[in-house]
Amino acid sequence: MLQHLNLTWNSFIGTIPSNLSYCKELRSLALEFNSLVGKIPDQLSSLSKMNYLGLASNNLTGGIPSWIGNFSSLRGLSLAINNLQGPIPQDIGRLSNLQIFQIYGNQLNGPIPVSLSNASKLGVIELSQNKLTGSVPTSLGLLQGLYRINFEINSLGRNRSGDLRFLDFLVNCTSLQVLSFEDNFLGGEVPKAIGNLSTRLEIFGLGYNMIVGSFPTGLENLVNLTSLSLDNNNFRGSIPDSLACYIVIRNSRKRDLSVRFSRERQSEPTLSDDPILAAKITYQDIFKSTDGFSEDNLTSIALKGSIGYIPPEYGSGANVSTLGDVYSFGIMLLELFTGRRPTDEIFKDGLNIQQYVKTTLPGHVKEIADPSLLLAYEEHNRNEDNASDLEEKAILQDDESISKLNESAVIEECLVSILKIGLLCSSSLPRDRMPISIALDRIHSIKKLFLQSKRRKNSIDRSYGTIS
């Protein structure tokens, strides 16, 4: 009997088949990153042995069905990046084995159910980018295994004193590493208890709220903090000298503390924010890179394009078309992520860049990926404590579908997916090429997945508020 079904990262359309309910032994159902529509079928309620349900990154509508609360063995629930509406069911609190709860990037409203604290094994709660209102339940402090809480970009709080009272209770969550409530309506002063938060805390975000008072005290106790954002609030007074000392201490341990307390809203980063990408290309650079504008490096008028990027049909006299542009776009993607140009010397004797990529996917993707893409990322994280990944792997070690939530697997999935798009766009036959609109949508989804993973590990990026 079928126990595990993984159909992620495909182009499936339509609704979720209701006859999946006949698979009575199904333990994990992973349908992430497709184009599925409609509601979550009620027939799935009969799959009582389910321990992982992953429906993220589709176009599902309707609400979160309350019958999910009957899945007593469920350990991972990912419904993120859909168009789900309505409240979070109180029944989620009945999931006594639930460890990962991800519903970010929807249109859910109403309060955070107090019953959530009854799911005593929760380690990850990610509810960001919704329309949640009301206060943050103080009962979350009962979840002592929590290590990631992300409720940012909602409408939590009432701009009143006491909105941040929940922080007094989170001191009981001694494994907490990520805590973000940015971009809500939280008011009042930051309680002194923040100095007693978990010493494992790495990311702490309270920016874009309505918090008042002086600079919070006790931050110096958070010895592993790498990202602190307090920007766009109503803090007053001076920045304490202890903050500078704290930064010196952190830098001496070869970590980077990014503290934001600006009063102006930041614009979304562009390529020009990167000093490497922002470098100007001069006439001399172009002259040198094209070997003095030699014929081998110039666009061929007769062939209507650059060598290596020209679609096959142009060679037989076909007119320039948008599908030809899609082909060139696909080749460009393959070049960007492999570091190999279609004209490289290794591509001979019938081997081209498409075959080079196709024969290595998916299991050996890191062998063909451009090392420079990973070098800076690995360098940044070289000294980072990987306890989060280790803990997550320990929690999820019995379920392959859930284990793919860890950072390394997400990066590998992104590389595989982007290269698959390149292959589909650069198909030999024009009719087989992926429409550019679909390609761009999928690239956008891949980007959001990568940024979400990066943000959870390293820092909370305020520009990452466009998950839809």
Side-chain angles (χ1 to χ4, degrees), residues 377 407 410 448-457:
Y377 189 80
E407 182 191 27
V410 168
K448 287 185 285 188
L449 174 68
F450 172 74
L451 290 179
Q452 183 74 14
S453 172
K454 182 179 179 182
R455 174 198 242 165
R456 286 195 297 257
K457 176 65 179 176

Side-chain angles (χ1 to χ4, degrees), residues 97-110:
N97 288 299
L98 190 65
Q99 297 164 29
I100 291 182
F101 183 40
Q102 295 177 314
I103 56 173
Y104 60 86
N106 282 286
Q107 300 179 48
L108 300 168
N109 55 33

Side-chain angles (χ1 to χ4, degrees), residues 163-180:
D163 280 349
L164 298 173
R165 184 168 172 264
F166 63 90
L167 291 173
D168 290 329
F169 296 83
L170 291 181
V171 299
N172 297 318
C173 304
T174 55
S175 297
L176 204 57
Q177 297 175 34
V178 177
L179 177 61
S180 180

Side-chain angles (χ1 to χ4, degrees), residues 103-272:
I103 56 173
Y104 60 86
N106 282 286
Q107 300 179 48
L108 300 168
N109 55 33
I112 299 170
V114 176
S115 63
L116 198 60
S117 60
N118 295 330
S120 57
K121 293 184 179 179
L122 270 172
V124 175
I125 307 178
E126 296 186 336
L127 313 182
S128 61
Q129 290 101 12
N130 279 289
K131 300 177 181 178
L132 302 176
T133 56
S135 58
V136 179
T138 58
S139 58
L140 292 179
L142 298 174
L143 301 173
Q144 297 186 18
L146 278 176
Y147 61 94
R148 292 180 185 169
I149 302 177
N150 188 350
F151 291 177
E152 63 187 35
I153 312 178
N154 279 287
S155 299
L156 299 169
R158 299 182 178 85
N159 189 22
R160 295 178 182 175
S161 175
D163 280 349
L164 298 173
R165 184 168 172 264
F166 63 90
L167 291 173
D168 290 329
F169 296 83
L170 291 181
V171 299
N172 297 318
C173 304
T174 55
S175 297
L176 204 57
Q177 297 175 34
V178 177
L179 177 61
S180 180
F181 293 87
E182 292 197 60
D183 207 338
N184 280 282
F185 295 111
L186 299 171
E189 297 188 11
V190 178
K192 296 180 179 179
I194 64 166
N196 297 321
L197 288 171
S198 169
T199 55
R200 298 179 64 183
L201 191 64
E202 297 179 5
I203 297 172
F204 188 24
L206 289 174
Y208 285 78
N209 278 286
M210 301 176 179
I211 304 172
V212 298
S214 57
F215 195 92
T217 58
L219 292 174
E220 62 275 9
N221 297 335
L222 308 179
V223 294
N224 282 298
L225 199 64
T226 61
S227 178
L228 170 65
S229 54
L230 304 174
D231 52 318
N232 289 274
N233 279 288
N234 295 306
F235 290 110
R236 297 184 180 278
S238 58
I239 300 174
D241 293 337
S242 60
L243 179 65
C245 296
Y246 181 55
I247 294 174
V248 171
I249 293 172
R250 302 305 298 132
N251 284 341
S252 69
R253 296 175 59 140
K254 296 186 179 180
R255 289 190 182 234
D256 176 30
L257 177 65
S258 173
V259 184
R260 301 183 325 189
F261 44 83
S262 65
R263 295 281 299 167
E264 300 296 328
R265 292 189 178 270
Q266 304 295 316
S267 59
E268 185 172 347
T270 62
L271 290 178
S272 61

